[in-house]
Amino acid sequence: MYAVPILESALKSSNATPLRFEIFVISLAAILLEVSYTRVFSFKLVYYFTYLIIGIALLGLGAGAVAAACLPWLRSARSRVTVGQCGIGAAIAVALSYLVVSLLQVNAGRLISAISGAWYDVIAFEGAKLGLLCFVLFLPFMLVGVAIAVILATRSDSINRLYFADLAGAALGCALVVPAMQILSPPGCVMLAGGMLALSAVRWNSVASIAIAAVLLGFASFPGVLPDPVADSTKTISPQNMEGQTVLFSQWSPVFRVDAVELQLPEGERLRLIHDGLWGSIIPKFDGNVEALTRYDSNIRALPFALLPENPDVTIIGSAGGNEIQASLYFGAERIRGIELNPVTISLLTDHFADYSGRVAEHPKVEIHNAEGRSFIARDPEAVDLIWFVAPDSYAAMNAATSGAFVLSESYLYTVEMIELALRHLTPDGIVCAQFGEVRFEVEANRTGRYLASAREAFRRLGIDDFARHVMVTTSKSYFTASTILLSVTPFDEADARALAEAVAKDPDGRVHYSLLERDPDFTEADIIDLPQEQLAEWFDQRPTLIHPITDDAPFFWHFVRFRDALAPSSGINPEKGFGEQLLVVLLLIATVFALIFLGIPFAARSQVWREIPNKPNAALYFAALGAGFMLLEVTLIQRLTLLLGYPTYSLTVTLFSLLVFTGLGSLACQRFDDVRRILPWMVGLLGALVAFYAFALAPLVDQLIGLPFAARILAAMILLTPLGLCLGVFMPLGLRTVAGWTEHSEEYIAWAWAVNGFFSVVSSVGSSILAMTFGFTFTILAAYALYIVGTAALLSARVESR
């Protein structure tokens, strides 16, 4: 699939037996495996491993293709035999890799802590486990890469049909993976991919193929018998943290996995909901008697209602287990709309724990919508009295290391643009309420400070400069500090401040930190509210952590630590001091080492030939620029289109599908181009126009499209990616065709060029997020274009000697 162009120009042998079925099934299985593992690793470790999985898949596919080119014995045997052996081997590797992935506990938190504290024995132990995990993931993709390369190498006269079979399989895999994960679960989809790889060998060894496929497809059909992935020890669901507790419910979904655990608290019985291994919410036990919910009188959920008119209209973003829904009923809301992204979470209230939750979802005043919060508000024509943001780390703050998991995820619910959108959807006296769990509020209230900074910028864009009259801030303490930020387009008055103070006073641990009547002198983040606009930038620069306003261009709400500070020595795990950023750097190093080893080893046996290859610096720069530039564009667009499509899994599959199909079509179309020196400058110019669109026009267009139905948003994303895919598909085959004509060692040159491209693709799959987090999506997209310019200039400036 990714290796399609590698040998097309160099290997001219043919074979009478078509292998279109094999390449179709192998490509389909590879995509299923890749995307399914992104969900497994989001649960097992953290969300960011999504991009490491992409890098490992690219690495394996590229390394397999390089091995096929550099090791002639792979192509000397009957190709059907080689492909069949790779299919069977990959199927077995998938089964073994899942066993290792599920049973081996890798503790990324301990690894980062050990690196910071220079505990070399822990570094060696945890680093070796993470390396083993990456290696077992790499093996099936490498065998897939060998199989695809051999098919193309031995059937160059049927390259067009094989190419379309490859694309069709990959495209079908992208289309099937989300519904397949809903039906079979991500671990079941991993086994499904293994079974399909085994079936790809059915024409070589039908007995072994069918036998292995039957076993793996059996596991896919009954995923409950598979071992559950053992999560990082810092996660709520880890064996260390779950000792003595019973999981009452567990279900995977393409959004996140949900586990329910019974929990006894002083205020009553609860079900703790664990989202992708982290404490995400609770379901309070409820008998349906609203008048009996008096516990909310002294709870932070009472605060917005102290300022609202009677019978308010409430919209809850992230309604989860219904805690805020119950509070809204108790305080007399006339209509309550709970917006929840994960259908599994909704099913807990409507089905699995309906009686436990007092059938609150069936209450006549309650509506629960399966939707993404920002999209729902954008298409909602009605103004409401309260838009309530329930932050996902409000519960997770109790787990000392979990906030690091959020650092690397983009969150479009807390950006300047989202706050502005919410304010525009309020009634004249309406309120936006955002609540966050703070790990160390007294020392550095990072979440509260960042949201205040973003809110002030949103008010400025609305033409409101007296931000201090439109905001109030409180906190409450229980297991952690919970902050409440209240915003209103209509200025708060002294009566509002007194009403809030009275509500806060009902909580013995409650405190008002900012209002018209009170300003806590120890609340340093109040400077964000009070300082003149022209002094804010300097204040943010002097702050030890990053809490400047965030926008849709860099929506990393939980990215508080500069990368240079994250690498400074420290002791222990401090989630406010760069755990996520440190993890990102470690993953970048791992990706670099793996790429150097597995893309460089095959050339050791051909060192003499490698020395005879001409123009290596020019070619290296060109293919390195293509590898890095393509991944910067792909990963950035995955992150940016998350806003349009609602969740990373959807954005990942749609972006991969679109770029895969249309890049392939672009590669096919470029076969008619002969004059590289004439066509490449034109393609660079076209790419520049497209990059300008994605950098400056995509965001406002997404704002217009976000309110469309989900199917329409998928179609819109595919249309937006079509011209980019067609354009990018030209550069690689033109470059390979060009360097193949420079030397009689064309096979080796193509393999070497692909290795260079693969190395920088793997490294950039991780590095792209570092760039985006540091400089934003626009900068990253423009940097990708700069790489294409530099690479093209290098290729066109090479001196070519006539052969």
Side-chain angles (χ1 to χ4, degrees):
M1 136 183 73
Y2 298 97
V4 168
I6 303 174
L7 305 173
E8 178 181 342
S9 300
L11 301 171
K12 300 299 183 181
S13 59
S14 63
N15 191 296
T17 306
L19 293 175
R20 291 190 293 273
F21 168 79
E22 284 78 2
I23 198 171
F24 175 90
V25 174
I26 288 171
S27 297
L28 169 57
I31 281 290
L32 283 175
L33 183 64
E34 178 181 344
V35 179
S36 299
Y37 262 135
T38 64
R39 289 298 313 121
V40 171
F41 273 78
S42 292
F43 168 80
K44 182 178 178 67
L45 293 165
V46 292
Y47 152 74
Y48 185 73
F49 276 82
T50 290
Y51 299 109
L52 182 64
I53 297 299
I54 294 174
I56 289 174
L58 287 169
L59 172 63
L61 293 164
V66 168
C70 292
L71 304 174
W73 58 268
L74 284 174
R75 307 189 308 273
S76 62
R78 292 177 58 196
S79 55
R80 183 189 294 180
V81 174
T82 302
V83 172
Q85 290 171 336
C86 287
I88 293 293
I92 295 172
V94 166
L96 294 177
S97 71
Y98 181 76
L99 287 177
V100 174
V101 167
S102 61
L103 299 177
L104 181 67
Q105 185 179 51
V106 176
N107 301 306
R110 285 195 68 200
L111 177 60
I112 298 304
S113 178
I115 293 173
S116 300
W119 305 333
Y120 296 111
D121 55 338
V122 177
I123 293 173
F125 183 59
E126 293 296 338
K129 289 195 292 183
L130 186 55
L132 175 60
L133 216 61
C134 292
F135 179 72
V136 298
L137 289 172
F138 164 82
L139 280 179
F141 289 109
M142 185 194 69
L143 292 169
V144 166
V146 171
I148 292 177
V150 168
I151 292 173
L152 296 174
T154 57
R155 283 158 178 77
S156 59
D157 55 345
S158 302
I159 192 70
N160 290 350
R161 293 182 180 181
L162 290 170
Y163 198 76
F164 278 109
D166 173 62
L167 291 175
L172 182 60
C174 287
L176 290 179
V177 66
V178 169
M181 284 194 290
Q182 291 173 327
I183 297 170
L184 302 176
S185 81
C189 281
V190 170
M191 293 297 115
L192 174 62
M196 298 186 74
L197 287 169
L199 286 177
S200 71
V202 70
R203 295 202 291 184
W204 167 62
N205 188 327
S206 59
V207 175
S209 170
I210 293 174
I212 295 173
V215 172
L216 294 178
L217 294 177
F219 284 128
S221 301
F222 301 96
V225 304
L226 295 170
D228 211 27
V230 180
D232 187 304
S233 61
T234 61
K235 285 205 158 186
T236 310
I237 200 70
S238 70
Q240 292 86 345
N241 294 322
M242 287 292 293
E243 186 175 354
Q245 302 181 61
T246 302
V247 176
L248 303 179
F249 172 89
S250 182
Q251 186 171 327
W252 293 87
S253 87
V255 181
F256 52 79
R257 171 170 150 167
V258 178
D259 295 89
V261 180
E262 196 166 33
L263 183 67
Q264 292 292 340
L265 295 175
E267 58 268 30
E269 187 177 335
R270 303 285 188 272
L271 285 180
R272 177 168 57 176
L273 301 186
I274 301 173
H275 298 164
D276 263 353
L278 300 172
W279 190 339
S281 182
I282 63 172
I283 300 179
K285 192 170 186 178
F286 180 41
D287 61 5
N289 182 9
V290 174
E291 288 73 19
L293 297 175
T294 54
R295 67 176 181 273
Y296 288 117
D297 285 327
S298 59
N299 188 279
I300 62 169
R301 292 166 182 83
L303 301 183
F305 296 97
L307 308 175
L308 292 174
E310 292 185 358
N311 305 317
D313 190 336
V314 177
T315 297
I316 303 167
I317 308 299
S319 56
N323 205 0
E324 286 71 25
I325 293 176
Q326 291 186 26
S328 299
L329 286 171
Y330 178 70
F331 291 110
E334 182 62 28
R335 183 174 70 155
I336 305 161
R337 293 183 297 178
I339 316 304
E340 175 56 43
L341 182 62
N342 196 338
V344 174
T345 304
I346 293 176
S347 74
L348 300 181
L349 298 181
T350 60
D351 182 14
H352 304 288
F353 297 102
D355 291 333
Y356 187 97
S357 62
R359 297 199 170 272
V360 68
E362 301 172 12
H363 195 284
K365 293 183 178 181
V366 175
E367 308 167 16
I368 298 183
H369 299 265
N370 182 203
E372 189 276 324
R374 183 160 171 178
S375 172
F376 181 89
I377 291 179
R379 66 176 184 267
D380 182 18
E382 301 181 46
V384 298
D385 299 305
L386 172 62
I387 298 178
W388 198 347
F389 292 91
V390 185
D393 64 342
S394 294
Y395 297 96
M398 284 189 270
N399 188 351
T402 55
S403 64
F406 295 106
V407 167
L408 308 167
S409 60
E410 55 276 359
S411 178
Y412 290 98
L413 287 178
Y414 310 113
T415 64
V416 171
E417 292 86 350
M418 178 59 194
I419 297 173
E420 186 178 357
L421 176 67
L423 292 170
R424 291 182 184 276
H425 278 72
L426 294 176
T427 58
D429 294 321
I431 291 172
V432 168
C433 174
Q435 294 178 319
F436 297 95
E438 290 284 2
V439 178
R440 303 193 305 170
F441 183 89
E442 297 79 6
V443 179
E444 45 191 13
N446 289 328
R447 297 156 183 76
T448 304
R450 170 153 280 172
Y451 195 81
L452 287 172
S454 301
R456 177 167 179 173
E457 175 60 19
F459 275 89
R460 188 191 68 79
R461 294 186 183 185
L462 290 172
I464 300 173
D465 294 324
D466 57 337
F467 182 54
R469 298 192 60 200
H470 299 264
V471 60
M472 293 192 283
V473 182
T474 74
T475 60
S476 178
K477 288 186 178 180
S478 55
Y479 299 96
F480 58 96
T481 300
S483 70
T484 299
I485 303 167
L486 301 167
L487 306 172
S488 176
V489 175
T490 301
F492 292 121
D493 56 25
E494 292 187 1
D496 292 323
R498 283 192 291 271
L500 180 65
E502 291 174 4
V504 171
K506 295 178 181 179
D507 178 359
D509 296 306
R511 184 173 183 182
V512 176
H513 292 273
Y514 195 95
S515 73
L516 283 177
L517 301 179
E518 297 183 60
R519 188 188 191 282
D520 177 8
D522 297 324
F523 182 48
T524 58
E525 286 74 16
D527 290 342
I528 299 171
I529 303 172
D530 292 332
L531 283 176
Q533 184 70 32
E534 60 273 12
Q535 296 180 20
L536 276 178
E538 182 180 358
W539 188 90
F540 287 131
D541 289 341
Q542 293 175 350
R543 174 88 180 190
T545 53
L546 296 170
I547 59 170
H548 59 278
I550 64 160
T551 67
D552 288 348
D553 190 54
F556 301 97
F557 184 84
W558 289 274
H559 172 43
F560 301 127
V561 179
R562 298 170 181 86
F563 280 99
R564 66 173 182 269
D565 297 332
L567 298 176
S570 62
S571 58
I573 299 176
N574 182 351
E576 305 293 275
K577 289 297 183 184
F579 169 70
E581 289 82 0
Q582 291 168 344
L583 175 61
L584 195 60
V585 173
V586 169
L587 295 181
L588 180 61
L589 292 174
I590 290 172
T592 303
V593 170
F594 263 72
L596 280 172
I597 292 173
F598 291 105
L599 295 179
I601 285 178
F603 294 99
R606 310 297 295 273
S607 58
Q608 180 61 38
V609 173
W610 184 84
R611 284 194 293 268
E612 297 175 2
I613 291 177
N615 296 318
K616 287 190 291 293
N618 300 73
L621 188 54
Y622 178 77
F623 290 105
L626 262 57
F630 186 90
M631 288 308 298
L632 291 184
L633 288 171
E634 179 182 346
V635 174
T636 301
L637 288 171
I638 289 173
Q639 293 174 312
R640 194 156 226 174
L641 290 175
T642 297
L643 172 59
L644 178 62
L645 297 173
Y647 202 75
T649 300
Y650 302 138
S651 182
L652 172 65
T653 54
V654 172
T655 304
L656 283 179
F657 171 85
S658 302
L659 289 181
L660 181 64
V661 169
F662 295 111
T663 299
L665 293 176
S667 298
L668 282 179
C670 79
Q671 291 180 353
R672 66 188 67 182
F673 301 145
D674 295 324
D675 191 345
V676 174
R677 292 185 176 275
R678 183 174 63 87
I679 194 63
L680 273 184
W682 279 101
M683 298 310 299
V684 170
L686 175 60
L687 180 60
L690 291 171
V691 163
F693 168 78
Y694 293 119
F696 303 111
L698 181 60
L701 181 59
V702 166
D703 287 339
Q704 299 300 314
L705 298 174
I706 195 173
L708 294 176
F710 183 60
R713 282 180 276 144
I714 290 178
L715 179 61
M718 293 176 62
I719 293 172
L720 289 171
L721 293 169
T722 296
L724 180 66
L726 292 171
C727 180
L728 294 179
V730 170
F731 287 90
M732 190 67 174
L734 280 182
L736 292 173
R737 187 190 309 166
T738 299
V739 299
W742 288 349
T743 175
E744 62 184 10
H745 302 295
S746 57
E747 294 181 22
E748 289 82 358
Y749 208 154
I750 288 174
W752 175 78
W754 189 257
V756 172
N757 179 271
F759 171 79
F760 283 92
S761 294
V762 172
V763 172
S764 299
S765 67
V766 179
S768 58
S769 279
I770 295 179
L771 277 180
M773 291 168 69
T774 306
F775 301 108
F777 294 146
T778 298
F779 176 89
T780 306
I781 291 173
L782 295 176
Y785 181 55
L787 288 170
Y788 272 88
I789 293 175
V790 171
T792 301
L795 185 71
L796 296 180
S797 65
R799 295 183 179 181
V800 181
E801 298 180 4
S802 59
R803 291 170 53 189

